[in-house]
Amino acid sequence: MDPNRVLIFDTTLRDGEQSPGASMNLAEKLQVAHALDELCVDIIEAGFPIASPGDFESVREIARQVQRPIICGLARCNAGDIDRVAEALRGHPHGRIHVFLATSAIHREFKLRMAKEEIIRRAVDGVKRAKDHGFEVEFSPEDAARTELDFLAEVVERTIEVGATTVNIPDTVGYAVPSQYANAISHLKKHVSNIEKAIISVHCHNDLGMAVANTLAALEQGARQVECTINGLGERAGNCALEEIVMALRTRQDYFALDTAIQTKKLYTTSRLVSHVTGIVVQRNKAIVGQNAFAHEAGIHQDGMLKERSTYEIMNPEDVGVPKTELVLGKHSGRHALKQRILDLSYHLTEAQLEKVYDGFKVLADRKKTIYNADIEALCENQIHLTELQAEAQSNTWTLEAVACNAGSATIPSAVVCLWHQDGSVVRDCSIGDGPIDAVFQAIERITGVNVVLQDYRLRSVTIGEDAQGEAHVEVEHEGRTLTGRAVSTDVIEASAMAFLQVINRVLRTKGLGRILPTETLEN
Ligand code: KIV
Ligand code: ZN
C-alpha cells in the first residue's frame, strides 16, 4: 500500500448509532451505507450483529448490497459474537471481523475481573476464531489509551502473530491528549516486533474535544487507518468527525503529506443525510459542514473575501459540496430533473419510491412556489420512512386518521385524535394538556394505552418561506429504551401527531402487542 495513504474506516452505523437517540432503521442504514460507498470510504463498520436481530439483519443486508468497500462487523472476544458476524458477512468479497477486548487496568479489574494472562489468551483465541472464518481480522484492545504501554505492546504483538492485520488503538473514553497518544503509537512501532505486518488504526472519542487532534497526532507517528463518523456522531460526545479529519489532511497536505480516497464533494450531502435519518441536527458552527462554516459576517472579512478569497477562507465550500447557489425546482420541472437532484442529494431510491416522490413533488409544487433541496430531502425521507413503516406494519399498528386541537391564551388546550387500528376499527378520544401538542400526545396515549416519557420534541421548518413544510422530531424513553419518531407535513400539529404515533407503534411492536384498552370503538 502507498505509505502515504490513510484508510478511512467509517463507524457511523455502529459507534455513531450508539449516540443516544441516533438509532436508524434498516432502510435508513442502507441509505447511509450507499452514501458512504459513494463517498469512497475504505471500510464501513455496519453494526454489531450479536446486539439484536435488527443489527444482524442490517449488517447482512448492507454486506449483500454494498460490495466495493470492506464491510466490517463488531464482535466481543467470544465465539457467539464472532460466529454471528461471520454469518452476517457470508458471501461478501471482503468482509472484516472486528474483535475487541478491554486491556486497561481499570477494565481488567472492575469490568472483566481478568488477569493479564487471561486477556492475552482470550484475545488470541478470539482473533484465531475470527481468522478461521476466512475473513480479515481487526483487533481492538478497548481502552488502549489508558493501558500500560508494555502490556499494550504485548497484546498487539500476540494478536498480530495469530493473524490480525489491523490493530486498532482506541481512546475509548476520550482521555488522551495528542502528545501522549502519539507516544503510544510510536511505542508500538518501536516495541512490537511484527508491527509491520499490520496496519495501525486509531479510534478517538471526543470527550475532551480532542478526537481529531489525537487522530492527527497518531497519523504523524505512522497510524494509517482512521476510525471516524459522519458529523462526529458516537458514544457520549462522539467520535472523530470524518469530514474534519479528511479536510484537515487535504487542506494541510503541505504539512501531513497524507491522502485519503474520500470524494470530498460528497461530504456535505452525506452529512445532511445522516443528520436527517438520525434526527441529530448539526450545530451551526460545526467545522466543515455547519451552516456557518463558510459564512462571513464581519465587514472586514467580507471586504477581504471580495478582494481575495484566500484572505479568510482556507477551503473552498465547493470542495466539500456546499452548494453555491441552490437551483430550485418548480411545478414545471420534470421527472428527469427530479431524479438527478435526488441522486445529487445522495439518496438511493427504487423506481417505485422515485415514482412516489415524484407524485409528492407534484402535489407540493401546487402548494409551494419553489421547491428547495430540503423539500426534496423531506420527500425522500418520507418515502424511505413509509417503505419502512409499511414493512413494519403488523397487527399492532395505529394510523392517524385525524387530529384537531384548540389552544390560545384564554383557553385550556385540548385535542381530539382519531386513530385507525390495523384490525379496521377506528378509535377517537380527547384530552386536555399543558399545550396543544401535549394534549395531542396525551390523547394518543389514552387511545393506544402506551405511556412514554417524552425526552425531546423539536419542530423545524424544512425550508425557508411561509409555505414551508414542518418536520416534527420526537424522542421518548420507554422502559429504559430511547425511541425516536419523525414526520413531515405542512400542518405542524399533524406532523407532531404522526411522529409521536410512530414511536407508539414501535413500542407496541417491540412488545408484540396489539391495541390496548381502546376507549371508544366507532367502526368495526
Ligand atoms: O471506543 C471503543 O473502544 C470502541 C471499540 C469497540 C473499538 O468503540
Ligand atoms: Zn468507540
Side-chain angles (χ1 to χ4, degrees), residues 201-333:
S201 169
V202 284
H203 176 115
C204 297
H205 279 270
N206 204 30
D207 298 66
L208 294 172
M210 289 188 279
V212 175
N214 286 336
T215 302
L216 288 170
L219 290 175
E220 286 191 88
Q221 297 306 317
R224 285 295 176 267
Q225 176 179 289
V226 167
E227 304 203 355
C228 47
T229 57
I230 300 291
N231 299 338
L233 290 183
E235 192 75 51
R236 305 179 310 279
N239 289 61
C240 170
L242 183 150
E243 59 280 4
E244 293 180 20
I245 192 76
V246 165
M247 289 312 289
L249 292 177
R250 183 182 154 132
T251 309
R252 296 308 312 272
Q253 228 280 345
D254 62 318
Y255 182 80
F256 294 104
L258 295 172
D259 305 303
T260 71
I262 295 297
Q263 295 297 308
T264 60
K265 284 190 162 59
K266 295 251 164 205
L267 285 171
Y268 183 72
T269 48
T270 312
S271 158
R272 282 190 65 91
L273 175 73
V274 169
S275 169
H276 272 118
V277 300
T278 57
I280 297 184
V281 177
V282 173
Q283 81 195 53
R284 276 184 97 101
N285 60 333
K286 163 88 175 61
I288 317 294
V289 290
Q291 210 176 317
N292 289 359
F294 296 97
H296 301 272
E297 180 72 21
I300 292 177
H301 290 204
Q302 286 174 352
D303 180 54
M305 283 283 293
L306 289 173
K307 289 178 175 140
E308 167 55 42
R309 186 174 176 156
S310 60
T311 50
Y312 286 102
E313 216 164 66
I314 59 167
M315 295 167 272
N316 289 341
E318 304 91 75
D319 290 346
V320 299
V322 174
K324 221 193 285 169
T325 43
E326 194 177 312
L327 285 172
V328 293
L329 297 179
K331 69 199 269 180
H332 301 296
S333 308

Side-chain angles (χ1 to χ4, degrees), residues 393-409:
Q394 290 176 14
S395 58
N396 55 11
T397 303
W398 292 93
T399 315
L400 184 71
E401 160 75 354
V403 57
C405 59
N406 186 25
S409 54

